[in-house]
Amino acid sequence: MISFLNLSKINNRFREATEARFNKILDVGMYLQGEQNDMFCAHFAQYCGTKYAVGVANGLEALKLIIQASGYGSGDEIIVPANTYIATILAISENGCTPVLVEPDMNTYNIDPDKIEAAITPRTKAIMVVHLYGQAVQMRKVWDIAQKYNLKVFEDCAQAHGAFYQGRRVGNLSDAGAFSFYPGKNLGCMGDGGAVVTNDEDLYKKVKALANYGSDRKYHHIYKGTNSRLDELQAAVLDVKLPHLDADNARRREIATYYRKNILNPLIVLPQTYDEQAAVWHVFAVRTQDRDRFQQYLTDNGVQTIIHYPTPPHKQLAYKEWNDRSYPISEEIHRTIISIPISPVMTDEEVSEVVRIVNEYR
């Protein structure tokens, strides 16, 4: 079986360096908010091109904290793509805000900037873009709209670590960016982890305090905060892997280029990109009309796949108040999309075999 993502093989490349970090943590005896977290946050901010980074518990917490730190709540609306993973929407509704869903571009799967302005009301406070499947949103129109209506722009960067737009990395294209370091991400830890990056010093200080029980110093609580911290073990893993992220992304691009040149099956719709540096190919999501049959065919022929995502957020029971809504572009994407293997540790032979098997599907 060609695995969708071999996490053991990915992380074993860094075993020696990771074990050395773990041993140091054991010797020091500091497991939260210590040297490893400080080093990783400094290095990650530098990597993203931002002034600040705050390590938090996971990607959902990163999104929630950005909204909370911005002071948004009941009655405030935040625009978000209709086809995102539900975490983006949960972060909005858990702050008491109203998510306003906007359809994506069928070619890139990212929010369609041409549809944003029609969704703006007097209650709109921000646009939350999602760099879905690892491709940076085309931000120029988003910036123009935000400036016109005096809106904040936030980024969900959970799937796009290291992607570029016009020479700047994701996370540095807005007022604040949120990252997930879930193990399967392009930069993944060995558990849960996340980060907020920003150039706004006030937002940085507020997020940092909110994530630590609302405390700016020990036993001094200035906000009604939460407990959302990146632990030392996960920070160490991330700091070991960060210098290799660009090389891993380059390998993903190499595989994606091979797929796009050599998968010639007319039954399979391939993903599109407007700029090779904008895409880091967190997943390689193709579309086909009879997805279940295609997935079973690939399984029978030794290729593991995952569906990102089978059900759109507005059709989930969690948002049953939206179940009668229709977002036809999102629904078509969710009905037909399926992700085939792509990772920095795939061999050329495995990549060629995936292409052969996909091309023989009838």
Side-chain angles (χ1 to χ4, degrees):
M1 177 69 75
I2 298 174
S3 63
F4 180 78
L5 186 67
N6 189 329
L7 290 177
S8 178
K9 190 174 180 181
I10 287 172
N11 288 319
N12 273 325
R13 298 176 297 164
F14 313 112
R15 178 184 288 271
E16 185 176 344
T18 301
E19 288 178 346
R21 294 285 189 107
F22 285 2
N23 287 335
K24 186 173 184 180
I25 293 167
L26 287 170
D27 290 340
V28 171
M30 185 79 170
Y31 306 113
L32 288 167
Q33 296 184 309
E35 179 187 27
Q36 300 298 323
N37 186 65
D38 289 344
M39 284 196 301
F40 171 68
C41 287
H43 293 155
F44 192 62
Q46 183 180 35
Y47 177 84
C48 293
T50 58
K51 293 179 180 179
Y52 310 105
V54 182
V56 299
N58 53 63
L60 173 57
E61 288 289 311
L63 291 164
K64 286 168 58 179
L65 286 162
I66 288 172
I67 297 168
Q68 185 181 1
S70 298
Y72 300 143
S74 179
D76 295 330
E77 296 177 351
I78 297 178
I79 290 171
V80 66
N83 63 317
T84 185
Y85 181 57
I86 200 169
T88 322
I89 295 170
L90 287 171
I92 297 170
S93 59
E94 287 190 25
N95 272 287
C97 301
T98 300
V100 177
L101 308 187
V102 170
E103 288 269 55
D105 181 327
M106 181 62 90
N107 293 318
T108 65
Y109 307 134
N110 281 331
I111 192 168
D112 186 341
D114 291 331
K115 293 183 170 67
I116 291 175
E117 195 163 8
I120 294 173
T121 76
R123 295 179 296 280
T124 306
K125 300 297 182 183
I127 303 167
M128 178 83 79
V129 301
V130 181
H131 306 297
L132 197 64
Y133 303 147
Q135 179 161 208
V137 172
Q138 293 174 276
M139 295 293 293
R140 177 55 58 189
K141 287 184 179 180
V142 178
W143 293 333
D144 290 345
I145 293 168
Q147 185 175 34
K148 179 179 178 180
Y149 291 93
N150 193 30
L151 305 177
K152 294 284 189 180
V153 179
F154 304 135
E155 298 168 78
D156 182 340
C157 310
Q159 300 185 5
H161 313 67
F164 283 97
Y165 177 76
Q166 295 187 354
R168 291 158 58 187
R169 293 193 195 268
V170 299
N172 192 25
L173 304 172
S174 65
D175 294 280
F179 287 85
S180 166
F181 303 123
Y182 180 78
K185 304 299 185 183
N186 290 34
L187 180 63
C189 54
M190 295 182 185
D192 268 324
V196 172
V197 297
T198 185
N199 291 306
D200 184 330
E201 184 178 9
D202 290 338
L203 186 70
Y204 158 72
K205 288 179 177 178
K206 192 166 184 180
V207 167
K208 192 171 183 179
L210 284 167
N212 187 33
Y213 298 98
S215 174
D216 60 343
R217 63 182 187 272
K218 196 171 182 67
Y219 301 134
H220 186 254
H221 305 273
I222 55 177
Y223 306 115
K224 295 175 182 177
T226 188
N227 176 15
S228 180
R229 298 174 293 194
L230 181 67
D231 70 64
E232 287 288 276
L233 293 171
Q234 304 306 335
V237 170
L238 293 166
D239 202 47
V240 166
K241 294 174 72 174
L242 180 59
H244 305 274
L245 177 57
D246 284 345
D248 281 359
N249 284 344
R251 175 57 177 161
R252 288 174 177 271
R253 288 191 185 102
E254 187 177 61
I255 295 168
T257 297
Y258 188 87
Y259 279 163
R260 293 170 67 221
K261 286 182 178 178
N262 293 283
I263 294 177
L264 304 173
N265 192 327
L267 298 177
I268 308 302
V269 179
L270 300 176
Q272 299 182 29
T273 181
Y274 61 90
D275 179 354
E276 292 301 328
Q277 293 302 305
V280 293
W281 301 106
H282 172 59
V283 298
F284 193 88
V286 304
R287 288 186 290 117
T288 189
Q289 288 302 310
D290 195 345
R291 180 180 63 198
D292 291 346
R293 186 169 72 89
F294 180 57
Q295 185 173 43
Q296 188 60 56
Y297 163 82
L298 292 178
T299 300
D300 292 344
N301 284 273
V303 177
Q304 187 181 31
T305 59
I306 295 180
I307 297 172
H308 297 91
Y309 303 97
T311 306
H314 69 282
K315 295 298 184 184
Q316 299 282 359
L317 184 59
Y319 290 98
K320 59 186 176 182
E321 66 272 23
W322 297 347
N323 287 175
D324 60 349
R325 294 187 186 180
S326 177
Y327 297 94
I329 298 174
S330 293
E331 289 162 19
E332 175 68 7
I333 291 171
H334 286 270
R335 185 182 67 81
T336 58
I337 206 152
I338 180 170
S339 302
I340 64 176
I342 189 167
S343 86
V345 296
M346 281 185 75
T347 66
D348 289 345
E349 291 75 19
E350 288 174 324
V351 175
S352 296
E353 183 66 0
V354 170
V355 169
R356 181 190 68 78
I357 292 167
V358 171
N359 280 337
E360 290 180 359
Y361 172 68
R362 297 292 182 266

Short mmCIF file of all heavy atoms in Angstrom, two decimals, residues 160-188:
data_model
loop_
_atom_site.label_atom_id
_atom_site.label_comp_id
_atom_site.label_asym_id
_atom_site.label_seq_id
_atom_site.Cartn_x
_atom_site.Cartn_y
_atom_site.Cartn_z
N ALA A 160 -0.85 25.76 4.98
CA ALA A 160 -0.03 26.45 3.98
C ALA A 160 1.30 26.96 4.52
O ALA A 160 1.83 27.95 4.02
CB ALA A 160 -0.82 27.60 3.38
N HIS A 161 1.87 26.29 5.50
CA HIS A 161 3.15 26.73 6.07
C HIS A 161 4.19 26.95 4.96
O HIS A 161 4.54 26.03 4.22
CB HIS A 161 3.71 25.68 7.03
CG HIS A 161 2.72 25.14 8.01
ND1 HIS A 161 1.64 24.38 7.64
CD2 HIS A 161 2.67 25.23 9.36
CE1 HIS A 161 0.96 24.04 8.72
NE2 HIS A 161 1.57 24.56 9.77
N GLY A 162 4.69 28.17 4.86
CA GLY A 162 5.77 28.46 3.92
C GLY A 162 5.34 28.94 2.55
O GLY A 162 6.20 29.30 1.74
N ALA A 163 4.05 28.96 2.26
CA ALA A 163 3.59 29.42 0.95
C ALA A 163 3.79 30.93 0.81
O ALA A 163 3.73 31.67 1.80
CB ALA A 163 2.11 29.07 0.74
N PHE A 164 4.01 31.37 -0.42
CA PHE A 164 4.27 32.78 -0.71
C PHE A 164 3.12 33.41 -1.49
O PHE A 164 2.47 32.76 -2.30
CB PHE A 164 5.53 32.93 -1.56
CG PHE A 164 6.83 32.79 -0.81
CD1 PHE A 164 7.51 31.58 -0.80
CD2 PHE A 164 7.37 33.87 -0.14
CE1 PHE A 164 8.70 31.45 -0.13
CE2 PHE A 164 8.58 33.75 0.53
CZ PHE A 164 9.25 32.53 0.53
N TYR A 165 2.93 34.70 -1.26
CA TYR A 165 2.11 35.53 -2.14
C TYR A 165 2.86 36.84 -2.35
O TYR A 165 3.14 37.56 -1.38
CB TYR A 165 0.72 35.80 -1.55
CG TYR A 165 -0.12 36.71 -2.42
CD1 TYR A 165 -0.71 36.24 -3.58
CD2 TYR A 165 -0.28 38.05 -2.09
CE1 TYR A 165 -1.47 37.08 -4.40
CE2 TYR A 165 -1.04 38.90 -2.89
CZ TYR A 165 -1.63 38.41 -4.05
OH TYR A 165 -2.37 39.24 -4.86
N GLN A 166 3.21 37.12 -3.60
CA GLN A 166 3.93 38.34 -3.96
C GLN A 166 5.13 38.58 -3.05
O GLN A 166 5.37 39.68 -2.53
CB GLN A 166 2.98 39.54 -3.95
CG GLN A 166 1.89 39.43 -5.02
CD GLN A 166 1.02 40.69 -5.14
OE1 GLN A 166 1.15 41.62 -4.36
NE2 GLN A 166 0.14 40.68 -6.12
N GLY A 167 5.91 37.51 -2.84
CA GLY A 167 7.16 37.62 -2.11
C GLY A 167 7.06 37.59 -0.61
O GLY A 167 8.09 37.66 0.09
N ARG A 168 5.85 37.48 -0.06
CA ARG A 168 5.67 37.41 1.39
C ARG A 168 5.01 36.09 1.74
O ARG A 168 4.15 35.59 1.02
CB ARG A 168 4.80 38.57 1.87
CG ARG A 168 5.49 39.92 1.77
CD ARG A 168 4.50 41.06 1.74
NE ARG A 168 3.63 41.09 2.92
CZ ARG A 168 2.59 41.92 3.04
NH1 ARG A 168 2.27 42.75 2.04
NH2 ARG A 168 1.86 41.90 4.12
N ARG A 169 5.40 35.53 2.87
CA ARG A 169 4.84 34.26 3.30
C ARG A 169 3.46 34.45 3.93
O ARG A 169 3.16 35.50 4.51
CB ARG A 169 5.76 33.57 4.31
CG ARG A 169 7.09 33.11 3.73
CD ARG A 169 7.76 32.16 4.70
NE ARG A 169 9.17 31.96 4.41
CZ ARG A 169 9.65 30.98 3.64
NH1 ARG A 169 8.81 30.14 3.07
NH2 ARG A 169 10.95 30.85 3.46
N VAL A 170 2.65 33.40 3.85
CA VAL A 170 1.37 33.42 4.54
C VAL A 170 1.61 33.63 6.03
O VAL A 170 2.63 33.21 6.58
CB VAL A 170 0.56 32.13 4.28
CG1 VAL A 170 0.26 31.95 2.80
CG2 VAL A 170 1.28 30.91 4.83
N GLY A 171 0.66 34.28 6.67
CA GLY A 171 0.82 34.70 8.05
C GLY A 171 1.27 36.14 8.13
O GLY A 171 1.01 36.83 9.13
N ASN A 172 1.95 36.60 7.08
CA ASN A 172 2.43 37.97 7.00
C ASN A 172 1.68 38.75 5.93
O ASN A 172 2.21 39.68 5.34
CB ASN A 172 3.94 37.99 6.71
CG ASN A 172 4.57 39.35 6.89
OD1 ASN A 172 4.06 40.18 7.65
ND2 ASN A 172 5.67 39.60 6.21
N LEU A 173 0.43 38.33 5.67
CA LEU A 173 -0.38 38.96 4.63
C LEU A 173 -1.64 39.61 5.21
O LEU A 173 -2.57 39.91 4.47
CB LEU A 173 -0.80 37.90 3.60
CG LEU A 173 0.32 37.11 2.92
CD1 LEU A 173 -0.26 35.96 2.09
CD2 LEU A 173 1.18 38.02 2.06
N SER A 174 -1.64 39.82 6.52
CA SER A 174 -2.88 40.24 7.18
C SER A 174 -2.57 40.86 8.53
O SER A 174 -1.41 41.04 8.90
CB SER A 174 -3.79 39.03 7.37
OG SER A 174 -3.18 38.10 8.27
N ASP A 175 -3.63 41.13 9.29
CA ASP A 175 -3.45 41.62 10.66
C ASP A 175 -2.92 40.55 11.59
O ASP A 175 -2.20 40.86 12.55
CB ASP A 175 -4.79 42.16 11.18
CG ASP A 175 -5.23 43.40 10.42
OD1 ASP A 175 -4.72 44.50 10.72
OD2 ASP A 175 -6.06 43.27 9.50
N ALA A 176 -3.28 39.28 11.32
CA ALA A 176 -2.76 38.17 12.12
C ALA A 176 -3.03 36.87 11.39
O ALA A 176 -4.03 36.74 10.68
CB ALA A 176 -3.41 38.14 13.51
N GLY A 177 -2.14 35.92 11.59
CA GLY A 177 -2.29 34.60 10.98
C GLY A 177 -2.28 33.50 12.02
O GLY A 177 -1.58 33.61 13.03
N ALA A 178 -3.06 32.46 11.78
CA ALA A 178 -3.15 31.32 12.69
C ALA A 178 -2.61 30.07 12.01
O ALA A 178 -2.96 29.79 10.86
CB ALA A 178 -4.60 31.09 13.12
N PHE A 179 -1.79 29.32 12.73
CA PHE A 179 -1.21 28.07 12.22
C PHE A 179 -1.59 26.91 13.12
O PHE A 179 -1.71 27.05 14.33
CB PHE A 179 0.32 28.16 12.17
CG PHE A 179 0.86 29.03 11.08
CD1 PHE A 179 0.98 30.40 11.27
CD2 PHE A 179 1.25 28.49 9.86
CE1 PHE A 179 1.48 31.22 10.26
CE2 PHE A 179 1.75 29.29 8.86
CZ PHE A 179 1.87 30.66 9.05
N SER A 180 -1.77 25.77 12.50
CA SER A 180 -1.89 24.49 13.19
C SER A 180 -0.62 23.69 12.94
O SER A 180 -0.07 23.71 11.83
CB SER A 180 -3.10 23.70 12.67
OG SER A 180 -3.04 22.35 13.10
N PHE A 181 -0.16 22.98 13.96
CA PHE A 181 0.98 22.07 13.81
C PHE A 181 0.55 20.62 14.08
O PHE A 181 1.34 19.80 14.54
CB PHE A 181 2.11 22.48 14.75
CG PHE A 181 2.59 23.89 14.54
CD1 PHE A 181 2.58 24.80 15.59
CD2 PHE A 181 3.04 24.31 13.30
CE1 PHE A 181 3.01 26.10 15.41
CE2 PHE A 181 3.47 25.62 13.11
CZ PHE A 181 3.46 26.52 14.17
N TYR A 182 -0.71 20.34 13.77
CA TYR A 182 -1.21 18.95 13.81
C TYR A 182 -0.21 18.06 13.08
O TYR A 182 0.42 18.50 12.10
CB TYR A 182 -2.58 18.94 13.14
CG TYR A 182 -3.26 17.60 13.08
CD1 TYR A 182 -3.91 17.09 14.20
CD2 TYR A 182 -3.28 16.86 11.90
CE1 TYR A 182 -4.56 15.86 14.15
CE2 TYR A 182 -3.92 15.64 11.84
CZ TYR A 182 -4.56 15.14 12.96
OH TYR A 182 -5.20 13.92 12.91
N PRO A 183 0.00 16.82 13.53
CA PRO A 183 1.08 16.00 12.97
C PRO A 183 1.13 15.88 11.45
O PRO A 183 2.22 15.77 10.88
CB PRO A 183 0.84 14.63 13.62
CG PRO A 183 0.22 14.97 14.94
CD PRO A 183 -0.66 16.15 14.67
N GLY A 184 -0.02 15.92 10.79
CA GLY A 184 -0.02 15.74 9.34
C GLY A 184 0.24 17.00 8.54
O GLY A 184 0.31 16.95 7.31
N LYS A 185 0.44 18.14 9.21
CA LYS A 185 0.68 19.39 8.48
C LYS A 185 2.07 19.40 7.85
O LYS A 185 2.95 18.61 8.22
CB LYS A 185 0.53 20.60 9.41
CG LYS A 185 -0.80 20.70 10.13
CD LYS A 185 -1.98 20.82 9.18
CE LYS A 185 -3.28 21.04 9.95
NZ LYS A 185 -4.46 21.10 9.06
N ASN A 186 2.30 20.34 6.93
CA ASN A 186 3.63 20.46 6.32
C ASN A 186 4.70 20.68 7.38
O ASN A 186 5.82 20.17 7.26
CB ASN A 186 3.65 21.59 5.31
CG ASN A 186 2.84 21.28 4.07
OD1 ASN A 186 1.81 20.61 4.14
ND2 ASN A 186 3.29 21.77 2.92
N LEU A 187 4.38 21.45 8.40
CA LEU A 187 5.21 21.53 9.61
C LEU A 187 4.35 21.02 10.75
O LEU A 187 3.49 21.73 11.25
CB LEU A 187 5.66 22.98 9.88
CG LEU A 187 6.53 23.16 11.12
CD1 LEU A 187 7.85 22.40 10.98
CD2 LEU A 187 6.80 24.64 11.40
N GLY A 188 4.59 19.77 11.12
CA GLY A 188 3.76 19.13 12.13
C GLY A 188 4.57 18.69 13.33
O GLY A 188 5.74 18.34 13.21
#
